[in-house]
C-alpha cells in the first residue's frame, strides 16, 4: 500500500555534499520524492521531532546538532515507504550500520549519523506536520 514518510538529511550530509547521492538511493528503488525543502530546523521543530528523547544524555547535543546547519527535508512516498526508508538508512549507529546503507556508507559516529527517518506511520504523520505546515 502506498504511504508517506518523512526523511531529513542531517547537517553532516549537506556539509559533506552527499545530498544527490543519498536522494538517488530513494529514487532508484522506486520511491517518489513528493516534497523537498532545504533550510534550517528551528529549535521548536527540533524539540517536537525529538520529544521522545527528552531527558536522555544526548538530547541537548542532538538539538544543538540538528539546528547547526542546513538540512534537506523530504516527504517520500511509495509502497511501504516507512520501512523501506528505514532499511535504506541502516542502523542508528554507523558503527553497526551495514555497508551499502546510507549510514553505513556516509556516517562514522552516532552524533552525526547522516539522516533521520520516521520509524512508524504515526511518527510519519506527526513529523510531516512539524516540518511541512
Ligand atoms: P533513529 O534516528 O535511528 O530513529 P533514535 O534512537 O530515534 O534513532 O535516536 C534519534 C537520534 O538521536 C539518532 O539518529 C542519533 O542522531 C541520536 N542518538 C541516539 N542515541 C544516541 C546516543 O547514544 N548518543 C548520541 N546520539 C544518539
Ligand atoms: Mg527515531
Amino acid at each position: 500500500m502506498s504511504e508517506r514518510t518523512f526523511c531529513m538529511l542531517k547537517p553532516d550530509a549537506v556539509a559533506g555534499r552527499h545530498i544527490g547521492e543519498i536522494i538517488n538511493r530513494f529514487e532508484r528503488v522506486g520511491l517518489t520524492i513528493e516534497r523537498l525543502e532545504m533550510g534550517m530546523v528551528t529549535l521548536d521543530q527540533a524539540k517536537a521531532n525529538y520529544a521522545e528523547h527528552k531527558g536522555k544524555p544526548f538530547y541537548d547535543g542532538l538539538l544543538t546538532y540538528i539546528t547547526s546547519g542546513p538540512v534537506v527535508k523530504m516527504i517520500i512516498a511509495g509502497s511501504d515507504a516507512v520501512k523501506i526508508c528505514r532499511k535504506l538508512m541502516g542502523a542508528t549507529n554507523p558503527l553497526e550500520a551495514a555497508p551499502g546503507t546510507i549510514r553505513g556508507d556516509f556516517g562514522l559516529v552516532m552524533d552525526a549519523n547522516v539522516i533521520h527517518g520516521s520509524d512508524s506511520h504515526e511518527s510519519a504523520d506527526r513529523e510531516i506536520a512539524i516540518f511541512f505546515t
Side-chain angles (χ1 to χ4, degrees):
M1 193 190 68
S2 186
E3 59 183 32
R4 299 154 91 215
T5 190
F6 174 74
C7 274
M8 175 161 63
L9 308 188
K10 294 183 176 183
D12 58 310
V14 174
R17 298 178 169 80
H18 302 309
I19 297 172
E21 261 194 286
I22 295 172
I23 291 177
N24 179 49
R25 292 176 178 221
F26 295 110
E27 289 200 306
R28 72 186 183 183
V29 298
L31 291 169
T32 300
I33 309 300
E34 202 177 271
R35 245 181 112 163
L36 184 150
E37 187 183 303
M38 188 164 176
M40 299 292 287
V41 173
T42 67
L43 187 57
D44 283 346
Q45 287 173 327
K47 286 179 178 169
N49 189 55
Y50 288 122
E52 64 175 300
H53 297 300
K54 194 173 178 193
K56 293 183 185 169
F58 59 85
Y59 178 72
D60 288 344
L62 182 57
L63 296 188
T64 302
Y65 166 65
I66 203 69
T67 58
S68 68
V71 301
V72 175
K73 297 166 273 183
M74 292 178 282
I75 297 174
I76 298 182
S79 185
D80 290 307
V82 172
K83 282 188 182 153
I84 297 278
C85 285
R86 292 288 297 194
K87 186 183 74 162
L88 294 178
M89 285 164 54
T92 304
N93 190 343
L95 189 60
E96 282 147 24
T101 66
I102 293 166
R103 285 164 166 167
D105 287 352
F106 299 101
L108 192 62
V109 293
M110 182 97 109
D111 297 326
N113 63 351
V114 190
I115 186 164
H116 167 83
S118 310
D119 61 7
S120 66
H121 302 135
E122 295 70 31
S123 312
D125 289 345
R126 198 177 68 84
E127 292 168 7
I128 287 170
I130 291 168
F131 291 102
F132 291 104
T133 39

